[in-house]
Amino acid sequence: MRTPLRLAVAQPLCRSHDVAGNAARHAAAVRAAGARVVVFPELSLTGYELDAAPLDPADARLAPLVAACADSDALALAGAPVAGRHIAVLAVDGDGARVAYRKMWLGGAEPRHFRPGSEPAVLEVDGWRLGLAVCKDTGVPAHPEATIARGADAYLAGVLESADDAAVPEERARRIATAHGVWVAVASFAGATGGGYARAAGGSGVWSPAGLAVVRAGTAAGEFVTATLH
């Protein structure tokens, strides 16, 4: 049987193009959360800057985050643009960082800057199979369907939504949880960033397989919340 999994969703202050500073703030969130898995928002390491340079997973600026994961026995799932021009999720642990998933469903101006990923991704952590998603993926039913068909028992997403659309991530999370009987965790950008997002929604949270909100963050940058999946 799987052991309970302590998971955090974080919405750190993210400054545009400041990879070093953002990595340090991600590291601080990992250390403070004390969770086995910490999920961060879309493009959290660069901010939502569609012209940001691709981030090499071996970039030395990620060293503080790698160290925090090593010290905390944690896996961080952070957002970044990567080579091939993809919006990606980096899986960061004490051994370093790697590209774990490339966003499949692009929205807005993203297709002018990025290419869609080709397939869903599921990571295994302590017997839990964790499906990965980025923002618009969560609004396309085919994405959670395909991800959960790979055996995912939790669906983890990093998103960016404006404060005016703050209800959207929750509505999608509830729908996915109840339709598929899985845990859903959403790390939602807070504060200001590029792309016209002067005020992002925040409100990161974790929903049970019954669609109930187990824990929710507020709207401020720098917040995180934790829940135990069982």
Side-chain angles (χ1 to χ4, degrees):
M1 293 186 58
R2 293 180 308 228
T3 58
L5 182 74
R6 184 171 171 83
L7 180 145
V9 285
Q11 50 192 51
L13 175 65
C14 297
R15 298 194 184 281
S16 293
H17 303 287
D18 180 16
V19 173
N22 292 334
R25 287 182 283 273
H26 281 50
V30 167
R31 292 182 187 279
R36 182 72 175 93
V37 177
V38 185
V39 187
F40 291 95
E42 180 176 22
L43 293 177
S44 59
L45 287 166
T46 59
Y48 191 76
E49 303 297 337
L50 302 185
D51 61 349
L55 183 60
D56 184 339
D59 194 305
R61 291 174 292 180
L62 297 179
L65 180 53
V66 173
C69 290
D71 293 344
S72 306
D73 190 26
L75 172 70
L77 299 171
V82 299
R85 293 310 293 173
H86 295 284
I87 294 174
V89 176
L90 297 185
V92 186
D93 60 18
D95 294 325
R98 63 181 179 86
V99 177
Y101 172 68
R102 295 167 176 85
K103 184 178 182 180
M104 296 178 66
W105 296 91
L106 304 176
E110 292 170 0
R112 297 201 294 272
H113 299 267
F114 297 101
R115 297 168 54 204
S118 60
E119 60 182 356
V122 177
L123 300 179
E124 185 163 333
V125 178
D126 299 346
W128 288 83
R129 290 182 58 78
L130 309 176
L132 305 182
V134 179
C135 209
K136 188 177 178 180
D137 291 333
T138 65
V140 179
H143 188 271
E145 288 172 7
T147 303
I148 291 158
R150 293 192 170 203
D153 38 44
Y155 185 80
L156 315 183
V159 310
L160 167 61
E161 207 65 70
S162 71
D164 292 338
D165 294 321
V168 171
E170 178 175 12
E171 186 276 329
R172 292 177 178 177
R174 289 183 184 277
R175 184 174 67 241
I176 293 166
T178 56
H180 299 285
V182 297
W183 289 88
V184 177
V186 177
S188 179
F189 211 109
T193 189
Y197 289 90
R199 194 162 59 96
S204 301
V206 178
W207 287 262
S208 75
L212 301 176
V214 175
V215 66
R216 296 292 304 276
T219 60
E223 294 188 39
F224 69 86
V225 290
T226 62
T228 300
L229 312 192
H230 52 79

